[in-house]
Amino acid sequence: MSLPSLRIAVIVGSTRPRRRGESVAAWVHGRAQGRDAAYGIVDLRDHPLPLLDEPAAASTGVYEHAHTRAWSEVIAPYDAFVFVTPEYNHGLPAALKNAIDYLWSEWQDKAAAIVSYGNGGGLRSAEQLRTVLSCVGIAHVRAQTTLNNRDDFDGYAVTPNAHHEHGLDAMLADLERWAVAMREARGAR
Ligand SMILES: Cc1cc2nc3c(=O)[nH]c(=O)nc-3n(C[C@H](O)[C@H](O)[C@H](O)COP(=O)(O)O)c2cc1C
């Protein structure tokens, strides 16, 4: 299948000065090169947002602040997303939730996959994220890449076990198929 115009963002969901998320996103992005879709990295740290300060709900499409309009312009062009998320206190990072809450139509009828990490693979964070993605109208594939802090990292650098590479490839293939389907769904609106 040829998908030359498919655009997929790998979203770095953690913002700490030293963080595992950056290395994980670089691994995903590197592994995705050569696939039949254009993958880019969107690092939340490059798009700092205050705690949600828009007077109107994002579903109205009325954005008062320049930072919201800038964030909208970053996300809107993408067909699909790979959310790279750690687990913080059994949940998803506040910065990631906040960044999602800022927008609405930019997420609607798009596709996503999740790469989570933590002491137990970040599973609780990923499950919470799935609930949030459902609410904003993102179709999330079942396949998931779950990295373990102890087994798949050397300090802050990801050193994934070999089976994760095959799992990631299969997950990205699912994501691309769903991204095509959701693009058609958007066209049918
Ligand atoms: C505020 C905070 C809370 C954390 N809570 C959890 C947790 O509930 N479960 C877990 O597996 N790891 C937890 N950790 C450890 C993280 O998995 C680990 O620090 C990871 O590197 C965080 O991702 P980051 O480096 O990209 O920020 C927590 C770390 C932080 C900073």
Side-chain angles (χ1 to χ4, degrees), residues 3-9 37-40 74 76-81 179 183:
L3 311 168
S5 61
L6 207 57
R7 298 190 62 189
I8 300 177
Y39 282 80
V74 170
Y78 286 103
D79 296 292
F81 309 96
R183 189 162 57 181

Side-chain angles (χ1 to χ4, degrees), residues 85-93 96 114-132 144-149:
T85 184
E87 180 171 299
Y88 287 167
N89 296 323
H90 295 185
L92 72 157
L96 177 56
I114 297 173
V115 177
S116 62
Y117 54 98
N119 299 324
L123 294 176
R124 289 167 292 218
S125 171
E127 287 304 308
Q128 286 192 2
L129 178 56
R130 285 183 186 279
T131 300
V132 175
Q144 186 172 314
T145 302
T146 57
L147 303 170
N148 195 289
N149 284 347

Side-chain angles (χ1 to χ4, degrees), residues 96-168:
L96 177 56
K97 177 66 163 58
N98 190 52
I100 293 171
D101 290 344
Y102 257 97
L103 305 179
W104 184 258
S105 66
E106 298 82 351
W107 304 120
Q108 289 272 303
D109 293 336
K110 294 186 177 175
I114 297 173
V115 177
S116 62
Y117 54 98
N119 299 324
L123 294 176
R124 289 167 292 218
S125 171
E127 287 304 308
Q128 286 192 2
L129 178 56
R130 285 183 186 279
T131 300
V132 175
L133 298 183
S134 296
C135 183
V136 297
I138 292 181
H140 38 103
V141 300
R142 178 183 184 278
Q144 186 172 314
T145 302
T146 57
L147 303 170
N148 195 289
N149 284 347
R150 190 178 48 238
D151 302 329
D152 296 309
F153 290 88
D154 180 5
Y156 285 88
V158 70
T159 53
N161 279 311
H163 72 275
H164 288 306
E165 298 194 334
H166 306 302
L168 177 63

